[in-house]
Amino acid sequence: MAPPESKTSNASPKSSEKPAQRDRPWMFRTYSGHSSASASNALYRSNLAKGQTGLSVAFDLPTQTGYDSDHSLARGEVGKVGVPICHIEDMQTLFDQIPLDKMNTSMTINATAAWLLSLYIATAERQGGNKGDLRGTTQNDIIKEYLSRGTFVFPPNASMRLTSEIVSYTVDQVPNWNPMNVCSYHLQEAGATPVQEIAFSMANAISILDVVRAMPEVSDETLTRVFGRISFFLNAGIRFVEEMCKCRAMNILWEEIGRERYGITEAKMLRLRYGVQVNSLGLTEAQPENNIIRIALEALGVTLSKKARTRSLQLPAWNEALGLPRPWDQQLSLRTQQILAYETDLLEYGDLFDGSHVVEAKTTELLEAARAELQQVLDMGGAVTAIENAYMKQKLVESHTARIREIESGDLTVVGVNAYQEAVDSPLVEEGSGSILKVDENAEREQIQSLEAFRKSRSSADVKSALQNLEDAVNNGDNIMPPSIAAAKAGVTTGEWSQVLRTVFGEYRAPTGVVAAPMSHANDEVSAVRMRVDGLSEKLGRRLKILVGKPGLDGHSNGAEQIAVKARDVGMEVVYDGIRLTPQEIVQSAQDEGVHVIGLSILSGSHGVLVTDVVELLREAGMADIPVVVGGIIPEDDARKLRDAGVRRVYTPKDFDMTRIMDEIVEVVSESNGV
Amino acid sequence: MESENGVTNSGPNGSAREAAGEATALAKRVLAGERAAISQALNQVDDNRADYQERRFALLDALEAAPSGVRIGVTGAPGAGKSTLLDALVSGLRARGRSVGVLAVDPSSQRTGGALLGDRMRLSSSARDAGVFLRSLAARDQLGGLSEVTGPSLDVLSRALDFVFVETVGVGQSEAGVIDLVDSLVFVVQPAAGDLIQFMKAGILEWPDVFFVNKADLGKVATRSAAELRAGLDLGHRRDPNRLPPVLCGSARDNVGIDELIEAIDEHERYLKSTGQGEIRRDEGRVARIEQALNARYGHFGIDRLGDEAARNAAFQEFKGVSALHAIAELGRRIESRLAADDA
């Protein structure tokens, strides 16, 4: 177990006469969950035994997007990036022997947050606990789902309503719960600069607070408590000095917004509270052991300055760019935190940077630029408008494109990727060393079987009436939480709950933001590929046309967007088909659009089933001559299988040079067309 | 979807008779609404290789006499909600059991020819069924926003489907191009955009047959825009002086006013049939397409080789029954030979 939250240092008694006062460490979490509720439960209990102090639940994509494990869109995705939770018994299994009234649980859940929180509350009550004692966080930040993560379901206004109802319910009924974790994390993953990260996340928080303030049942006093319960979820990149200044700037801006916009005066309520997951964007597939160092440095950025120290920290695993981490990989990340908190003297001092002119100047620079950017978003009508008109999305795509170009040109150094590539082979990833976690192939089938058994065991009359009550509440504008908790107890499933809301609210497809991305400056390599595209297009009779899309439920569209922009830049006509597509839809698009090549992107690990489905369907439709290339986090063993199945090229994160990828696509199309 | 097996492609320099035979077979499958055939036909009419021109003309000629579905242009300023409206229209028409095609035209780079055709993204899954065919086109080198292949693509799609929409970006030159291709033009208005006056000045309000003031959820702003528009229409010139185009209000996002819009499009279609205006429009549009294409290629100097105005008009009418693209090629050859004779 973890050492008690000691008040005195046990690290180095020799270094000072008196033991120094030590601050309490932040909360240690690891984002985890996979295969099934019982496998994830075993993992959680083992992590807690190793000294982890809070839980962070990763749900699988069907759960995040409101589908039961046996839905057609869930095929290949069940248990892949997180745990499947279809009903209350799954939730009870997930937290078996973990008393929820004593735990602090962070749940990465957004579109279906109200439902998973309802299951959580119902499970706690069945364990004999009170909902008033529950502590934790629902991410519940839909804006960034539209911008980056892609697990949105409903249109913006309906989503804002759901979020605000969770806020107004928990502030009284579950008072220690953080109902919304405003995420700048995913904005950085999508390419945001520090200024954009600050400004867009603040705009996002404002959009929710404005809705909550306008609710008739919300008084000034309630608003103060709501403000105090909004927490943030930040990213920490490798430029750790700037990242620290970013956190300091956010502190100042949040307090300013609280005072000026919402009239909050209590100092305690005005304090910015945030958790951090350090950057995954910068983790490399090449020389992956280097990531261990990157992760530790990134952790420094959000812990060094006491004034801007995170409340809880999740460190990714060093091998995330290769596939799913094993328990050992997660343990290494936890140990990194423990060394930082318990071995070093970090927690013995006040703020190390107060009075530093350098830090203050950088903080002020970020703050002023962020204020201006925030004002711009507010002037156009706020975050929801800036989603609908794609302003924020375009800005992120632009920044991300600029970053990729800097890596390609070498202006931005990434050790082991575009510099210092010469290295001995890493013993950590030798062939056959099993350096990643393999999800049990039977997990999906077993989950579906247990779901079917559960459906048979419940009272269909109870389910029917619970769903009717839910629908009535949604239509009448009543708070969604009470009927959802009742539905959880009645045995309603994730898919059934979501279907009621899908029917009332409709579904949403968000703008892609790629259309406005500026054209890159042509260097020699780009010009050479352009000439090859022109030449091939002439031989084909019309311009080379590519379909770019993401099959399955994974919504991380940044990679696909960058490929789409690059293909445009080298002169291809690009049909960008966006996210959440079935293999059937992709094949139909390819046929309708008359494309010469299909590019698929998948990060969820479900590439095996989905990509081979696409290839198979193309064959059935007589379109086998259209070549398929795939990019994603794909282990070499799987890549070989995909190539055997007919995929022409497989790209992984180590293929950072997109101009070269384009060149190869030209080659693939030339071969397929015999020209 | 049926496979393309059994269909031989006439290679380069295939005889005209071979090309015609294959074209007739493919045209038959297009008329039957076969998806693979529609796709193949669209690829063929977009094929610029000199060796494949006979095949292209043969296919379009084979489709020329077949009955056409309703062709509708959807236009409006960027951000007015054209894609969202199309999504709603497609769903609405599908619910009525009609098949729908969409041609989405996106701008492309003058410099590289590359283009991002992002609009497909906006069609919701409810609009992606077997009765919907969507193809995106890059505007290519046409500044006005329509590429030369828009007309021939529409000629293919409208023979296979009940309704075909052409969505264009921006306002201005593209209307002038699209108006020659469609039976009805729907103009999507962004309320209080402040550009109504600009449209009137630019003469754009002369063309549309139906106006749809979107985002009616904005309330008064939308009703005021509609009222201003109605007043403006009373004053201005119109393409069809006998008919005042309806001004509808609704919200594409919330699916409000879509039934009324479909009814208005149907009503205009009935009007075109009953008055004979529809046939006149298609003839005029065809002549305008031929004239504009020749003008773009050879300029006034070249067109004048076809004779005086009466002779030119006669020449434009000469190829009735042949596809517009084929007629353009034939007349182009005539102009070229006369220009060569002049030189000699």
Side-chain angles (χ1 to χ4, degrees):
Chain A
M1 285 301 291
E5 282 170 353
S6 51
K7 289 288 176 202
T8 56
S9 165
N10 55 8
S12 178
K14 271 184 278 179
S15 66
S16 58
E17 292 296 309
K18 277 189 294 179
Q21 281 295 115
R22 286 180 73 86
D23 290 319
R24 273 170 57 148
W26 54 91
M27 187 176 299
F28 308 154
R29 299 192 208 262
T30 311
Y31 181 56
S32 53
H34 67 87
S35 303
S36 67
S38 56
S40 303
N41 173 261
L43 178 65
Y44 294 169
R45 287 195 282 133
S46 130
N47 284 349
L48 291 168
K50 289 176 193 152
Q52 186 176 297
T53 51
L55 291 175
S56 173
V57 182
F59 295 103
D60 74 356
L61 287 165
T63 306
Q64 293 187 48
T65 49
Y67 296 109
D68 283 338
S69 299
D70 56 354
H71 191 278
S72 63
L73 268 170
R75 181 167 148 75
E77 304 275 15
V78 176
K80 282 282 162 46
V81 301
V83 57
I85 298 292
C86 292
H87 48 76
I88 187 160
E89 283 182 10
D90 282 345
M91 203 67 151
Q92 285 176 292
T93 306
L94 184 65
F95 295 111
D96 183 37
Q97 299 174 60
I98 302 173
L100 293 184
D101 53 359
K102 310 238 166 14
M103 187 37 63
N104 189 314
T105 306
S106 168
M107 295 194 276
T108 298
I109 195 73
N110 295 280
T112 52
W115 173 241
L116 273 301
L117 178 57
S118 297
L119 286 171
Y120 191 83
I121 290 171
T123 299
E125 290 181 349
R126 284 203 178 164
Q127 285 183 349
N130 289 318
K131 60 178 183 278
D133 296 330
L134 298 179
R135 286 172 186 274
T137 307
T138 31
Q139 192 163 79
N140 202 17
D141 168 6
I142 205 72
I143 296 271
K144 66 92 178 47
E145 296 295 327
Y146 297 124
L147 287 175
S148 157
R149 214 170 148 268
T151 69
F152 54 84
V153 176
F154 313 112
N157 282 324
S159 299
M160 293 317 244
R161 172 183 159 190
L162 288 174
T163 305
S164 60
E165 287 181 1
I166 297 170
V167 172
S168 75
Y169 177 83
T170 54
V171 75
D172 289 322
Q173 302 293 319
V174 199
N176 295 314
W177 194 262
N178 300 313
M180 183 199 187
N181 215 359
V182 181
C183 294
S184 72
Y185 175 84
H186 310 82
L187 305 183
Q188 185 177 120
E189 294 292 308
T193 62
V195 168
Q196 288 168 340
E197 205 185 321
I198 303 171
F200 293 171
S201 58
M202 291 291 161
N204 181 358
I206 285 172
S207 67
I208 275 293
L209 283 165
D210 282 1
V211 173
V212 172
R213 178 169 59 181
M215 293 170 105
E217 67 269 29
V218 173
S219 65
D220 286 354
E221 181 272 332
T222 313
L223 186 68
T224 300
R225 282 186 290 129
V226 167
F227 191 88
R229 289 247 59 99
I230 300 285
S231 56
F232 283 74
F233 185 57
L234 271 53
N235 202 327
I238 194 69
R239 292 171 55 82
F240 71 98
V241 178
E242 186 179 48
E243 292 294 67
M244 183 191 74
C245 297
K246 173 189 82 184
C247 296
R248 289 171 84 95
M250 284 184 90
N251 272 331
I252 298 169
L253 190 54
W254 182 241
E255 184 175 336
E256 213 170 271
I257 290 167
R259 280 190 201 286
E260 291 171 11
R261 193 175 181 96
Y262 300 106
I264 314 285
T265 50
E266 273 177 70
K268 192 172 156 237
M269 295 296 173
L270 284 165
R271 207 175 313 143
L272 179 79
R273 297 154 56 250
Y274 69 93
V276 171
Q277 157 102 17
V278 309
N279 186 291
S280 291
L281 179 67
L283 299 186
T284 61
E285 182 187 5
Q287 302 176 28
E289 63 279 1
N290 297 348
N291 295 327
I292 298 170
I293 315 305
R294 291 194 179 97
I295 290 165
L297 291 172
E298 287 167 352
L300 278 184
V302 290
T303 52
L304 267 182
S305 159
K306 183 175 178 176
K307 271 192 179 166
R309 187 169 294 150
T310 183
R311 297 285 183 115
S312 73
L313 184 58
Q314 319 185 146
L315 299 183
W318 66 279
N319 55 351
E320 271 198 4
L322 308 177
L324 280 180
R326 299 157 298 182
W328 180 84
D329 307 310
Q330 297 199 331
Q331 176 183 304
L332 180 61
S333 295
L334 175 62
R335 295 296 182 246
T336 307
Q337 296 208 47
Q338 288 165 330
I339 292 168
L340 190 55
Y342 298 129
E343 281 190 30
T344 76
D345 55 348
L346 177 66
L347 294 177
E348 294 173 14
Y349 308 101
D351 195 284
L352 301 177
F353 301 97
D354 274 356
S356 159
H357 300 305
V358 178
V359 167
E360 195 184 326
K362 183 70 191 173
T363 304
T364 308
E365 175 198 318
L366 292 172
L367 184 60
E368 282 173 3
R371 276 199 198 107
E373 182 66 55
L374 172 61
Q375 197 54 50
Q376 175 134 356
V377 173
L378 293 177
D379 286 347
M380 70 177 66
V384 174
T385 310
I387 289 292
E388 288 177 334
N389 69 13
Y391 170 80
M392 292 198 285
K393 182 74 191 177
Q394 282 170 13
K395 287 283 172 191
L396 295 181
V397 172
E398 273 174 43
S399 303
H400 199 42
T401 307
R403 183 188 138 81
I404 302 260
R405 282 174 193 152
E406 281 175 18
I407 294 175
E408 283 182 0
S409 69
D411 291 342
L412 190 70
T413 299
V414 184
V415 173
V417 172
N418 65 358
Y420 314 110
Q421 293 104 317
E422 277 303 309
V424 292
D425 291 339
S426 169
L428 290 179
V429 288
E430 274 171 9
E431 191 101 18
S433 73
S435 53
I436 50 165
L437 182 80
K438 283 277 180 196
V439 172
D440 181 5
E441 295 288 338
N442 296 320
E444 182 162 326
R445 193 168 43 81
E446 285 167 13
Q447 172 67 15
I448 291 172
Q449 282 167 358
S450 98
L451 172 63
E452 282 164 357
F454 175 81
R455 285 207 191 101
K456 286 197 188 106
S457 72
R458 61 189 186 165
S459 149
S460 55
D462 288 359
V463 168
K464 204 174 159 206
S465 93
L467 287 172
Q468 187 59 52
N469 291 340
L470 176 67
E471 189 180 335
D472 292 346
V474 176
N475 281 323
N476 297 338
D478 296 338
N479 194 298
I480 187 114
M481 286 301 297
S484 298
I485 296 169
K489 290 177 179 166
V492 164
T493 66
T494 299
E496 291 163 345
W497 181 89
S498 306
Q499 190 52 46
V500 168
L501 273 68
R502 282 189 153 93
T503 308
V504 178
F505 292 143
E507 286 192 60
Y508 187 68
R509 290 189 83 81
T512 64
V514 294
V515 172
M519 191 70 76
S520 66
H521 301 289
N523 55 28
D524 289 351
E525 287 85 40
V526 171
S527 302
V529 179
R530 270 185 200 165
M531 282 177 64
R532 290 195 67 192
V533 170
D534 287 349
L536 178 58
S537 300
E538 242 167 69
K539 288 184 188 145
L540 294 170
R542 59 198 171 94
R543 191 152 279 278
L544 178 54
K545 198 169 181 183
I546 181 173
L547 173 78
V548 177
K550 288 180 67 66
L553 293 172
D554 163 40
H556 292 85
S557 52
N558 309 326
E561 284 154 8
Q562 292 306 317
I563 286 287
V565 170
K566 193 73 186 189
R568 190 262 329 250
D569 286 359
V570 298
M572 299 185 199
E573 289 183 358
V574 186
V575 179
Y576 178 49
D577 230 359
I579 63 167
R580 221 176 288 170
L581 303 161
T582 61
Q584 288 80 358
E585 286 172 328
I586 287 170
V587 171
Q588 179 172 329
S589 288
Q591 185 167 52
D592 282 15
E593 294 288 5
V595 298
H596 299 102
V597 54
I598 299 174
L600 302 176
S601 158
I602 308 189
L603 299 178
S604 67
S606 50
H607 40 261
V609 181
L610 295 173
V611 173
T612 41
D613 277 2
V614 169
V615 172
E616 190 48 42
L617 286 169
L618 282 172
R619 203 168 288 145
E620 282 172 23
M623 295 156 68
D625 55 333
I626 300 179
V628 176
V629 300
V630 177
I633 297 182
I634 299 170
E636 181 47 37
D637 285 356
D638 293 4
R640 203 172 305 124
K641 280 182 210 152
L642 291 178
R643 282 190 291 263
D644 289 346
V647 171
R648 300 293 290 277
R649 293 283 191 284
V650 177
Y651 297 103
T652 63
K654 73 172 182 300
D655 301 300
F656 68 94
D657 185 345
M658 296 225 267
T659 310
R660 196 180 57 75
I661 294 177
M662 291 304 141
D663 201 46
E664 291 190 10
I665 290 176
V666 172
E667 198 175 301
V668 164
V669 177
S670 299
E671 285 166 11
S672 299
N673 288 273
V675 292
Chain B
M1 213 48 53
E2 281 182 48
S3 84
E4 297 186 28
N5 293 343
V7 179
T8 50
N9 291 324
S10 65
N13 306 319
S15 75
R17 195 192 298 166
E18 257 176 57
E22 279 166 27
T24 315
L26 182 57
K28 216 167 151 190
R29 291 167 61 214
V30 168
L31 294 174
E34 194 190 312
R35 186 165 223 111
I38 300 172
S39 179
Q40 197 185 347
L42 288 172
N43 295 348
Q44 287 190 9
V45 301
D46 195 9
D47 194 331
N48 284 314
R49 288 174 291 183
D51 291 347
Y52 288 84
Q53 295 311 296
E54 289 306 325
R55 180 177 82 176
R56 201 181 185 194
F57 300 145
L59 174 64
L60 288 166
D61 290 351
L63 290 168
E64 182 72 13
S68 167
V70 182
R71 307 155 164 230
I72 302 146
V74 176
T75 185
K82 293 184 294 295
S83 299
T84 319
L85 180 65
L86 259 178
D87 189 10
L89 279 172
V90 170
S91 299
L93 286 165
R94 288 301 300 139
R96 288 164 172 74
R98 320 228 197 144
S99 60
V100 190
V102 179
L103 269 186
V105 186
D106 270 308
S108 48
S109 159
Q110 301 287 308
R111 194 148 46 91
T112 69
L116 271 165
L117 310 168
D119 267 57
R120 186 172 192 106
M121 177 77 199
R122 309 303 296 276
L123 270 197
S124 58
S125 14
S126 62
R128 292 162 177 251
D129 70 11
V132 181
F133 193 106
L134 190 153
R135 177 159 296 207
S136 331
L137 292 176
R140 310 217 174 130
D141 47 357
Q142 301 292 305
L143 276 170
L146 286 179
S147 77
E148 259 193 17
V149 76
T150 312
S153 301
L154 198 54
D155 289 338
V156 171
L157 277 181
S158 62
R159 296 318 195 281
L161 301 152
D162 298 335
F163 280 78
V164 184
F165 292 95
V166 193
E167 185 202 8
T168 58
V169 174
V171 277
Q173 288 160 303
S174 55
E175 279 70 22
V178 80
I179 199 70
D180 298 325
L181 303 177
V182 299
D183 304 317
S184 303
L185 184 65
V186 175
F187 189 92
V188 189
V189 182
Q190 156 92 4
D195 38 26
L196 280 180
I197 303 292
Q198 295 306 319
F199 296 161
M200 285 182 203
K201 278 189 198 157
I204 286 162
L205 299 191
E206 296 170 23
W207 301 106
D209 302 296
V210 179
F211 290 89
F212 186 79
V213 179
N214 199 8
K215 308 186 184 178
D217 46 307
L218 294 176
K220 268 189 189 154
V221 189
T223 12
R224 199 181 317 131
S225 288
E228 280 173 20
L229 193 54
R230 285 190 192 101
L233 289 175
D234 279 340
L235 299 172
H237 296 284
R238 285 189 314 278
R239 182 191 192 193
D240 182 348
N242 298 317
R243 180 179 170 276
L244 199 61
V247 177
L248 308 175
C249 273
S251 165
R253 195 188 65 187
D254 301 333
N255 208 22
V256 173
I258 303 304
D259 286 340
E260 290 80 355
L261 179 55
I262 292 174
E263 178 48 38
I265 291 168
D266 277 344
E267 190 273 326
H268 185 240
E269 197 53 29
R270 287 194 296 271
Y271 166 83
L272 290 177
K273 274 212 181 85
S274 64
T275 57
Q277 279 289 319
E279 208 168 318
I280 296 172
R281 264 193 192 193
R282 282 191 188 185
D283 284 348
E284 284 176 356
R286 182 189 146 84
V287 168
R289 271 166 79 180
I290 295 171
E291 190 172 6
Q292 273 165 18
L294 292 175
N295 196 21
R297 236 170 266 176
Y298 305 103
H300 282 300
F301 183 76
I303 285 196
D304 284 347
R305 299 305 99 173
L306 295 174
D308 61 13
E309 196 179 340
R312 285 201 304 270
N313 283 335
F316 297 148
Q317 297 289 351
E318 197 177 320
F319 291 92
K320 223 162 180 189
V322 165
S323 65
L325 200 72
H326 196 180
I328 291 164
E330 292 294 340
L331 289 168
R333 256 175 243 159
R334 190 177 299 172
I335 290 172
E336 278 171 29
S337 70
R338 288 185 187 168
L339 286 172
D342 284 357
D343 282 350

